[in-house]
Amino acid sequence: MARIPESELILNPDGSIYHLNLLPEQISDTIITVGDQDRVERVSRHFDSIEVQVAKREFVTHTGYYKGKRISVVSTGIGTDNIDIVFNELDALVNIDFVSREALEHDDRISLRIVRIGTSGSLQEDVPLGSHLATEYALGLDTLMQFYPLMETGYETEIAVNLQLALGLGFLPYCAKGSDLLREQLAFDMIHGNTVTCPGFYGPQGRLLRLQPKIEDVIQKLSSFRFEDVRFTNFEMETAGIYSLGRLLGHEVLSLNAIVANRITNQFAANHEEVVDDLILKVLNRL
Ligand code: R1P
Ligand code: URA
């Protein structure tokens, strides 16, 4: 394997990876990601013991034990640009030797289990406030996959092409499915849906404050979209990046969404913290 230069794999003086500030031994192979750095403590407060607490910028990591199982919680911040950093660096921590700067051989590579616990807005009346939703297909409206050769299935490409047509987009979105295994294991009693990942919270999610939207009726168009069995149930800002990079890097990935807004009924959940806390406990007890 080729040696990866200092400018590509950037290590801090203590040997930790550049943004996450972590050493290889400081993460578990079971990882929960959350967008909000304050949510890391909301997860780790349930741990029996915490062995690692590291923070840099929006990337906060706690590693500890929950009922005897070693788990890491990492905050990603908002957006798929941050997912690019977090996923490449988590993968480097387990699949690149930091001394020789060489990637591990195929047979030696470690596959992480990575579960996102995030908040999300519903695009359907029957996906109510307070529900927990597991994403099957994620559709990315951001540009991250312009920069990686995502191996989409024909079915995924068809979903993306049909959405491009429905929204009249000047670019082709991307589509990736998450782990069926993790979805069955962790989300057996949750709503299963398909998630649109947006490159913004306002315009791309049809929120009008002072700016006029370029795409008219985006909520209505996303809500009424149908391709075979696929409809879009919710949107947020990370899942498509997680599913795509998870596939490319060889990790098992699942995105779980606490529904805190419903864009069809125009409601926002006053108890959104409680909805997230319930999801956290469900996941911890099932991992
Ligand atoms: C927007 O408020 C943020 O909330 C959602 C979106 O994906 C975006 O990151 O997820 P988190 O609650 O995990 O941050
Ligand atoms: N996160 C989002 O991105 N959108 C919402 O409506 C709620 C949470």
Side-chain angles (χ1 to χ4, degrees):
M1 290 279 170
R3 185 179 184 283
I4 303 169
E6 279 71 6
S7 57
E8 323 290 298
L9 173 67
I10 306 175
L11 301 180
N12 299 314
D14 66 354
S16 62
I17 193 133
Y18 188 49
H19 297 93
L20 298 187
N21 222 21
L22 290 166
L23 296 163
E25 61 269 24
Q26 290 180 315
I27 59 158
S28 169
D29 58 5
T30 298
I31 296 173
I32 293 171
T33 67
V34 296
D36 180 355
Q37 51 267 53
D38 292 343
R39 200 176 302 145
V40 172
E41 186 277 328
R42 293 186 87 88
V43 178
S44 70
R45 68 172 57 165
H46 299 289
F47 288 0
D48 313 321
S49 60
I50 300 178
E51 69 187 41
V52 174
Q53 294 191 62
V54 171
K56 187 173 177 186
R57 299 185 184 233
E58 61 265 65
F59 310 112
V60 174
T61 301
H62 292 180
T63 295
Y65 287 86
Y66 180 77
K67 295 186 179 168
K69 178 154 194 59
R70 191 167 185 250
I71 296 173
S72 294
V73 196
V74 183
S75 60
T76 63
I78 291 179
T80 57
D81 47 352
N82 274 3
I83 294 301
D84 179 61
I85 290 173
V86 172
F87 268 60
N88 275 292
E89 294 195 4
L90 285 177
D91 180 76
L93 284 163
V94 293
N95 287 321
I96 297 175
D97 181 328
F98 282 9
V99 177
S100 67
R101 296 184 157 271
E102 289 177 2
L104 302 191
E105 298 290 343
H106 187 271
D107 289 350
D108 298 330
R109 277 184 217 150
I110 289 175
S111 176
L112 299 167
R113 289 200 307 162
I114 305 177
V115 180
R116 167 185 179 267
I117 299 180
T119 61
S120 183
S122 169
L123 286 163
Q124 302 293 340
E125 203 162 351
D126 64 352
V127 177
L129 285 191
S131 55
H132 295 156
L133 183 146
T135 303
E136 184 174 3
Y137 287 97
L139 201 295
L141 296 179
D142 61 294
T143 56
L144 184 60
M145 284 304 130
Q146 298 292 318
F147 300 91
Y148 294 98
L150 176 64
M151 293 156 293
E152 280 179 341
T153 63
Y155 192 68
E156 289 167 343
T157 303
E158 282 195 79
I159 298 171
V161 167
N162 277 278
L163 184 67
Q164 180 184 20
L165 283 173
L167 295 185
L169 297 171
F171 62 93
L172 182 61
Y174 64 97
C175 182
K177 197 182 193 204
S179 164
D180 288 331
L181 201 73
L182 276 180
R183 198 155 41 84
E184 279 158 29
Q185 183 194 344
L186 302 180
F188 48 85
D189 57 354
M190 299 181 196
I191 297 171
H192 293 206
N194 303 299
T195 299
V196 179
T197 294
C198 297
F201 185 78
Y202 290 97
Q205 294 187 25
R207 284 191 173 87
L208 306 187
L209 300 185
R210 288 206 314 118
L211 294 177
Q212 282 309 303
K214 190 163 170 184
I215 302 174
E216 269 181 55
D217 302 323
V218 71
I219 301 281
Q220 199 275 328
K221 284 175 179 153
L222 289 174
S223 179
S224 61
F225 175 89
R226 296 289 181 275
F227 173 71
E228 298 192 358
D229 291 343
V230 172
R231 65 169 185 161
F232 294 120
T233 45
N234 64 303
F235 50 20
E236 47 71 83
M237 298 177 64
E238 292 83 26
T239 299
I242 290 173
Y243 280 12
S244 304
L245 289 179
R247 174 180 300 175
L248 290 170
L249 292 164
H251 304 299
E252 286 279 306
V253 286
L254 178 68
S255 174
L256 298 175
N257 304 269
I259 301 297
V260 299
N262 187 303
R263 302 299 303 289
I264 305 303
T265 58
N266 290 324
Q267 297 165 291
F268 185 77
N271 66 339
H272 57 98
E273 296 282 19
E274 207 180 296
V275 180
V276 173
D277 285 340
D278 288 349
L279 182 56
I280 289 170
L281 269 178
K282 264 189 203 171
V283 172
L284 284 176
N285 284 316
R286 293 171 185 182
L287 271 174

